[in-house]
Amino acid sequence: ASVLLASGTLVSRILGFVRAAVLVAAIGAMNEGANAFAIANQLPNNIYTIIASGILSAVLVPQIVRANGHADGGKAYINKLFTIALVVLLLATVAAMLLAPLLIQLYTSEWTEAQRALGTSMAYWCLPQIVFYGLYTVLGEVLNARSVFGPYTWAPVLNNLIGIAGIVVFILMFGADPHGTRTVFEWNAVSIGVLAGSATLGVLGQALILYVSWRKVGLKFRPDFAWRGVGLGLTARIASWS
């Protein structure tokens, strides 16, 4: 089991390095377009880390493990928990997308208006990653609580493969630019969508592949909005401090 986990992490890191190298070949480094994409693609990670990462890892996992002792193996509790997490993540994503111009401006006070507009356009494609990062974490932590560790570790490999494929498609469509000579005015809706959209597609794939493992361990998600009477109040109080 340890070898399985370590190898998944190692393969993911190697592919992440390859992905970074291919990205530099596609758009260069430390130029207006590359910097705009870097900020836009990092923004959902930062927001997700602030609003959910610690809560999901430190608070929900013990509750999920405790729910495994319920008569139904914790299935009802997990469905309710997953529903709440999905609602919160969707609301956070909508709020972030509405505030995208302001969020980009907070990071880029010295940018030109054209570069800031490019970063904002990319952010609209990247910010849905907030939901998908959350789904990946919840799906994976439920599997971890049931002692199924491999899929959670190997799922980022799929993310990197999709990301690399998206960058290759970008190069085929718009050409490589390792020296970063492409100006902000040479980007258009299609090139932005291919690059930033494929990055988000990778995170989506990383999350959805875990649902296959859910089915294999006998779990099936059904939205459940009946949140009273199952101990979620204690979870909420603990989570509020995080």
Side-chain angles (χ1 to χ4, degrees):
S2 297
V3 172
L4 176 65
L5 298 178
S7 60
T9 300
L10 179 62
V11 172
S12 176
R13 293 296 183 268
I14 293 172
L15 287 175
F17 178 81
V18 173
R19 181 175 179 174
V22 176
L23 181 62
V24 170
I27 63 175
M30 298 306 293
N31 59 76
E32 291 183 332
N35 290 341
F37 177 70
I39 293 294
N41 197 41
Q42 185 62 33
L43 192 57
N45 283 274
N46 295 346
I47 295 173
Y48 168 73
T49 298
I50 291 171
I51 66 170
S53 180
I55 293 174
L56 292 177
S57 299
V59 177
L60 298 189
V61 174
Q63 306 302 318
I64 294 170
V65 172
R66 186 176 293 111
N68 287 341
H70 295 177
D72 65 346
K75 293 180 181 179
Y77 182 87
I78 289 171
N79 274 329
K80 296 176 190 296
L81 202 60
F82 197 99
T83 303
I84 293 173
L86 187 58
V87 170
V88 171
L89 290 166
L90 285 171
L91 291 174
T93 301
V94 171
M97 293 184 74
L98 291 173
L99 295 172
L102 176 59
L103 293 172
I104 290 294
Q105 188 170 2
L106 289 174
Y107 278 85
T108 60
S109 59
E110 298 180 356
W111 283 12
T112 64
E113 287 299 323
Q115 188 181 8
R116 191 174 294 124
L118 176 60
T120 302
S121 297
M122 290 179 171
Y124 284 128
W125 281 95
C126 293
L127 284 169
Q129 294 175 22
I130 296 170
V131 174
F132 306 140
Y133 277 126
L135 295 182
Y136 163 73
T137 302
V138 175
L139 290 167
E141 295 294 9
V142 170
L143 291 174
N144 285 348
R146 292 177 174 250
S147 300
V148 179
F149 304 107
Y152 193 34
T153 306
W154 278 87
V157 170
L158 178 60
N159 182 0
N160 281 318
L161 289 173
I162 294 174
I164 291 170
I167 298 168
V168 170
V169 170
F170 178 90
I171 292 174
L172 293 174
M173 293 179 65
F174 305 101
D177 183 26
H179 302 295
T181 59
R182 185 183 288 112
T183 69
V184 293
F185 302 104
E186 294 178 80
W187 289 84
N188 57 42
V190 178
S191 60
I192 292 171
V194 171
L195 185 64
S198 62
T200 298
L201 186 63
V203 183
L204 173 61
Q206 173 180 281
L208 293 185
I209 194 68
L210 292 184
Y211 190 65
V212 176
S213 299
W214 259 41
R215 301 296 295 269
K216 289 182 178 179
V217 299
L219 293 173
K220 185 177 181 181
F221 173 62
R222 293 184 177 86
D224 188 345
F225 294 92
W227 298 341
R228 295 179 64 86
V230 292
L232 291 175
L234 174 61
T235 302
R237 287 195 295 274
I238 299 173
S240 65
W241 287 102
S242 296

